Amino acid sequence: MAKPTKDNRKSVVDFGVGWVVIIYCLLMFFLYVGMCNDGANITAPNVAYRLGLEQGDIMNMNSLAGLVGVVFFIIAGQVNRKIGARMTSGICCIISGIAYILACNAPSIVIYTVCMCFVYGGIMSAGYVAGGTLVASWFPKKKGVVMGYTTMGHNFASAFYVQLVAILIAPTVAGTTNIGENFSTGIVPIGIAAIVLGILGMIFIRNEPWERGINPDNVSDEIYQKEYDTKDAVEGDGGWTTGKLPATKELWLAAITTGFFQICSVGVMSQLVIRNTQLGFSQQAAMNVMTILALGGVVGSWLVGVIDDAIGTKKTMVMFGIWYAIALLLNFTAVDSVTPLVYVSLFMIAMGIGGSANFTTSLPTSIFGRQGFDKVNSVIFPIQGAVTALCFLVNGVVQKITGGQIRMAYLVFAGVALVNVLLVLMVNEHKYNRDWMAAHKK
């Protein structure tokens, strides 16, 4: 094996060939956020225009698709255990790419919804179910900073996806902005990109670091033998069963708390452009603001990961929840004009764009470790996904009730963030983590 030449335990860049896995996961997250979340800023009005519906109707169907996608997560979790994360992620990317093309060309809302179920189920299973297993296997102790890198895909999608689609579907119908018939064909390259990524993943990605000649976290043999659990094989279910996991308090806390933060982040970002236009920005200016904030948020995503590794996932989540709640409440204070507090809130939101997604893998890995993680994640992520999908329901219902005033949803999300802080405080962060126990044994 090719070993590190020095102690790299504190390094935030020395991952060796593990960078291939990191970039792969980053790209899957880019497509996930683009196709499912932030992309709704431009896909929802276009689909609604094509089908002669209200945008709130499309958002509600997205929420339904996210909930139905939970069934996909359950299936993907079992498939992931049987054929490995490499093949599972590749197949799921291909499915999501095909379904996205069909959804954006759907002749009815029923077909749109069915296709979006496969988009949500496919790309989220690729990034979180299979991708989460890859991160836990390759980077069990550096999962915080690694998730900081991979979730930069969220930020890059927030920065460029809406702008990219706007370019792909231009020119548009005279007198409109990015609403037109070119949407159906302009969206095709996105679906093709997902298909190509899936094929490349099946060719170049490996399930375990040993298959590429390195130890987990790219540490030396000496450190691995001393500070990692080597008594039990990593393969298998780590002693967990499908019946035992749902009876474990930490599993529910891990799933619900990470899902609640995703509700806040996804719910805000999927409607950020529309919210900004309500405050007085032009549509192009609103997209530009989103791009600038998302690029700045790349730093925030990385910083959350570094803090996670430095002080622990639990403390980082508590800080994050308070930070995000304040950001949403500051934004809520603005009704129909841009105030100084709006700019402060947008900066704070930007710093947390990718942060919430860090925890979806980081917290379960902290609690359960890498042994049997694919088994644990096959139960946790469907719950996370179901909770996260509720953000679209909140946005859709709020728009229906208030006539499109999204600011009221921000108040709901702020409340969710604060309640979640209390739940996080109940978490036993390393309860079943064998590697942590091995490094801290007396």
Side-chain angles (χ1 to χ4, degrees), residues 2-71:
K3 301 298 186 300
T5 57
K6 58 182 179 180
D7 187 345
N8 66 345
R9 284 174 293 180
K10 295 184 179 180
S11 174
V12 296
V13 295
D14 189 359
F15 302 113
V17 73
W19 275 108
V20 175
V21 174
I22 293 173
I23 294 172
Y24 179 59
C25 291
L26 182 154
L27 292 174
M28 288 193 292
F29 281 146
F30 176 91
L31 290 172
Y32 154 60
V33 170
M35 293 194 292
C36 299
N37 299 340
D38 296 11
N41 283 286
I42 194 166
T43 57
N46 271 279
V47 171
Y49 172 83
R50 289 184 62 252
L51 299 180
L53 300 169
E54 293 182 16
Q55 185 172 318
D57 295 326
I58 299 301
M59 294 304 298
N60 285 335
M61 291 305 100
N62 285 350
S63 181
L64 176 61
L67 290 172
V68 174
V70 172
V71 177

Side-chain angles (χ1 to χ4, degrees), residues 143-411:
K143 78 294 190 266
V145 69
V146 166
M147 287 301 294
Y149 285 121
T150 63
T151 54
M152 286 180 182
H154 289 235
N155 302 86
F156 289 132
S158 297
F160 300 120
Y161 189 87
V162 173
Q163 301 277 17
L164 174 61
V165 174
I167 293 172
L168 290 173
I169 68 176
T172 58
V173 176
T176 65
T177 305
N178 297 326
I179 302 290
E181 298 303 322
N182 291 311
F183 174 74
S184 298
T185 55
I187 210 71
V188 171
I190 305 295
I192 293 176
I195 295 171
V196 171
L197 180 64
I199 294 172
L200 293 175
M202 289 188 287
I203 295 173
F204 295 107
I205 298 300
R206 293 295 180 270
N207 294 326
E208 301 288 346
W210 293 289
E211 297 179 62
R212 289 299 190 193
I214 65 173
N215 290 315
D217 297 314
N218 196 33
V219 298
S220 65
D221 283 344
E222 179 183 359
I223 292 175
Y224 179 69
Q225 291 295 326
K226 182 179 179 181
E227 298 188 6
Y228 290 72
D229 176 60
T230 59
K231 296 179 181 179
D232 300 296
V234 176
E235 294 80 6
D237 295 336
W240 294 106
T241 64
T242 303
K244 185 177 180 181
L245 283 167
T248 304
K249 182 185 73 173
E250 274 68 30
L251 180 134
W252 288 97
L253 284 174
I256 293 173
T257 56
T258 53
F260 273 8
F261 277 155
Q262 281 288 78
I263 280 182
C264 300
S265 183
V266 174
V268 169
M269 293 307 297
S270 63
Q271 296 290 283
L272 186 60
V273 170
I274 299 170
R275 166 62 174 160
N276 285 343
T277 58
Q278 290 179 351
L279 291 174
F281 291 97
S282 68
Q283 186 181 34
Q284 186 58 52
M287 289 192 294
N288 291 341
V289 168
M290 187 172 183
T291 298
I292 294 170
L293 294 178
L295 289 175
V298 169
V299 177
S301 184
W302 178 82
L303 187 59
V304 168
V306 172
I307 295 173
D308 184 318
D309 282 347
I311 68 173
T313 307
K314 181 176 178 177
K315 291 180 181 178
T316 306
M317 290 180 72
V318 170
M319 292 169 56
F320 178 89
I322 296 172
W323 172 279
Y324 218 74
I326 293 173
L328 297 180
L329 291 173
L330 290 178
N331 196 287
F332 172 77
T333 60
V335 180
D336 55 6
S337 61
V338 181
T339 67
L341 290 181
V342 168
Y343 288 108
V344 174
S345 72
L346 290 175
F347 168 77
M348 295 180 71
I349 289 171
M351 291 296 102
I353 290 174
S356 64
N358 289 24
F359 306 130
T360 58
T361 295
S362 184
L363 183 61
T365 305
S366 290
I367 296 173
F368 296 94
R370 63 194 163 98
Q371 287 82 359
F373 184 83
D374 54 351
K375 177 67 174 181
V376 173
N377 204 34
S378 71
V379 178
I380 284 184
F381 188 70
I383 303 172
Q384 287 177 336
V387 174
T388 301
L390 295 176
C391 72
F392 297 104
L393 181 61
V394 172
N395 277 332
V397 170
V398 168
Q399 288 190 51
K400 279 285 191 180
I401 294 176
T402 65
Q405 292 301 312
I406 297 171
R407 65 187 287 266
M408 296 305 298
Y410 280 44
L411 185 61

